[in-house]
Amino acid sequence: MEKNIIDLHPGLIVGFAVVIFIMLLLDLGIFNKKAHEVTSKEATVWSVIWISLSMVFSGVVYWIFNLDTGGHEVAIEKFTQFQAAYWIEKALSVDNLFVFILVFGFFKVPRHLHHKVLFWGIIGALIFRAIFIFAGVGIINQTYLSEFIKNDSNPFYFTWSFIALASIGLALKYLRDEKVFLILAILFGFFLLAGVNAKFFINVNQLSLPPINFVMTVFGLFLVYAGIKSWGSGDGEDDEDFSETAGAKLVKKFYKVSDNYDGDKFFTIQNGVRMATPLLIVVAVIEFTDVLFAVDSIPAIFAISKDPFILYTSNIFAVLGLRSLYFLLANFIHMFSKLPYGLAIILSFIGVKMLILPWYHISSPISLGIVGSVLLISVLVSIVFPEPTKP
């Protein structure tokens, strides 16, 4: 059985948590204790720091596996898994920057408050990404076709039957306007129902099946669709009303919202009434936006590795560097006009990799090479063939 980092060095979990905590404490508690407009120089320094920390950690991953498993091949595979997951998340996160710029513009957020909004948005991302990744790995490990249909445990049968029916029922109730999500959710439910009931109709113990996974198959189909749909996407987002998004509506459901900002406060008192400021609305919108983007990025990294620690650490390092990247690239985002095409290719490639995995495995070094090449080419094409400036 393949060892993971948690088995080899449990203390590394504590070490990772301590490093992240200290860096966040330094970021908000010392260097950015007072709200200010982040300069390009400051953003560059923090970008270099976060990327350097990520690269050093990937070296630690290589060192641990090379030392404890005694194999350079395994160490390289784990190292490239981290690198591929990191750069996939980093690339897909750049797409967030386009939306962040629109959100800040829509709510007319003062530039010196951008850092605080992104900081608290990322704190939420730490929590939600942990839930998505660790729960996702757990579900994937239980939904391989061969083991799934042969499990005759009553709790297993009733649990997955409930999940299947809930998937279908919730999809029919809430996803009628989202046809693709509706189809995928219903398809997933029927896959599960067919799997848990197969033993009643055929002798499942005599079947020899490829390692097909229900969840990975649905994720693969979704990513191929997402890649095709996102090809050259971006038009029309300028007109979106962010005040009507789910995040904004959630805050308005519990609090009255003031018309104006009150410094960097999330709450203010007006006429003796405690009210939320527009800044809290912006944080909620940013948080909700990140959750939506995670629907693409989290399934994509499951195609790279099933080690939750590698997936989570690479994801968090990429997300933590997003704030400094925002301030560094916000004024030059137009120079990456062809990046959405590159991201569409990456999503489609990862989706295809998931779908063919039961029959053919594309190694992590090859995946990393393809992802890196597509990103590099899309950036170079953006620079050589820039978008014409809008009047």
Side-chain angles (χ1 to χ4, degrees):
M1 182 177 178
E2 184 181 290
K3 295 181 179 179
N4 60 45
I5 284 182
I6 298 176
D7 296 327
L8 294 169
H9 287 280
L12 196 58
I13 304 173
V14 178
F16 168 76
V18 169
V19 168
I20 297 302
F21 178 77
I22 290 175
M23 292 301 296
L24 290 176
L25 193 63
L26 289 172
D27 192 351
L28 188 67
I30 298 178
F31 295 107
N32 295 287
K33 187 174 183 179
K34 186 175 181 180
H36 68 284
E37 184 174 340
V38 178
T39 63
S40 295
K41 180 180 179 181
E42 185 180 351
T44 301
V45 170
W46 276 104
S47 293
V48 170
I49 289 173
W50 282 116
I51 292 175
S52 299
L53 280 174
S54 306
M55 298 303 101
V56 169
F57 188 84
S58 67
V60 172
V61 171
Y62 171 84
W63 175 74
I64 288 176
F65 277 94
N66 188 51
L67 179 68
D68 289 2
T69 64
H72 171 72
E73 184 176 344
V74 174
I76 283 292
E77 179 71 14
K78 289 293 182 178
F79 171 81
T80 52
Q81 282 178 2
F82 181 95
Q83 288 283 342
Y86 174 82
W87 289 111
I88 287 173
E89 178 62 33
K90 197 78 167 176
L92 294 176
S93 292
V94 171
D95 223 16
N96 286 19
L97 301 185
F98 293 91
V99 180
F100 290 171
I101 291 171
L102 295 176
V103 171
F104 287 137
F106 180 88
F107 289 101
K108 297 180 174 58
V109 182
R111 291 185 65 86
H112 68 279
L113 297 179
H114 288 193
H115 182 276
K116 183 170 184 176
V117 172
L118 294 177
F119 178 89
W120 289 107
I122 285 173
I123 293 298
L126 294 176
I127 299 170
F128 286 115
R129 299 302 172 99
I131 295 172
F132 291 159
I133 289 173
F134 285 90
V137 169
I139 292 173
I140 288 172
N141 289 336
Q142 294 187 49
T143 52
Y144 282 96
L145 180 60
S146 180
E147 292 81 3
F148 191 86
I149 66 175
K150 294 177 181 178
N151 193 314
D152 57 0
S153 164
N154 286 332
F156 181 90
Y157 175 81
F158 288 113
T159 297
W160 285 104
S161 294
F162 173 79
I163 292 174
L165 293 173
S167 175
I168 296 171
L170 292 173
L172 290 172
K173 184 174 181 179
Y174 295 108
L175 298 177
R176 288 187 177 276
D177 294 332
E178 300 290 341
K179 299 300 182 184
V180 173
F181 288 102
L182 174 65
I183 293 171
L184 289 175
I186 292 176
L187 188 63
F188 177 65
F190 277 118
F191 276 163
L192 295 181
L193 284 177
V196 294
N197 288 286
K199 58 179 174 288
F200 298 120
F201 302 98
I202 57 176
N203 188 349
V204 295
N205 293 318
Q206 293 182 352
L207 294 178
S208 179
L209 300 169
I212 296 173
N213 187 282
F214 294 131
V215 174
M216 295 286 281
T217 299
V218 172
F219 280 170
L221 291 171
F222 169 72
L223 289 175
V224 171
Y225 163 77
I228 295 172
K229 185 180 179 182
S230 63
W231 179 263
S233 65
D235 295 336
E237 290 183 337
D238 292 355
D239 300 326
E240 185 170 349
D241 185 358
F242 292 102
S243 64
E244 294 301 317
T245 60
K249 289 180 178 179
L250 182 64
V251 174
K252 292 176 181 178
K253 184 177 181 179
F254 294 99
Y255 300 102
K256 291 183 178 180
V257 181
S258 63
D259 295 328
N260 302 309
Y261 293 95
D262 185 7
D264 63 352
K265 297 178 181 177
F266 291 131
F267 295 94
T268 187
I269 303 294
Q270 291 188 359
N271 299 321
V273 179
R274 189 169 187 260
M275 306 175 71
T277 67
L279 196 64
L280 184 63
I281 294 285
V282 178
V283 171
V285 172
I286 291 292
E287 196 63 66
F288 182 72
T289 299
D290 179 73
V291 170
L292 290 181
F293 274 99
V295 173
D296 282 346
S297 63
I298 298 301
I301 62 174
F302 284 142
I304 302 301
S305 175
K306 302 300 181 298
D307 188 329
F309 188 70
I310 283 183
L311 294 180
Y312 185 65
T313 52
S314 61
N315 204 268
I316 293 309
F317 273 121
V319 170
L320 287 172
L322 183 60
R323 285 168 303 130
S324 53
L325 191 63
Y326 166 80
F327 293 108
L328 186 61
L329 300 182
N331 295 326
F332 307 100
I333 202 72
H334 62 280
M335 295 178 59
F336 300 91
S337 58
K338 303 301 185 294
L339 186 60
Y341 296 100
L343 298 180
I345 294 173
I346 290 173
L347 286 174
S348 299
F349 162 70
I350 296 298
V352 170
K353 178 180 177 179
M354 282 182 162
L355 293 174
I356 67 174
L357 185 60
W359 301 276
Y360 183 77
H361 172 63
I362 301 175
S363 68
S364 296
I366 293 176
S367 298
L368 178 60
I370 292 174
V371 170
S373 299
V374 170
L375 286 176
L376 180 61
I377 291 172
S378 63
V379 170
L380 290 177
V381 172
S382 297
I383 295 173
V384 176
F385 302 101
E387 286 284 300
T389 304
K390 295 182 180 179

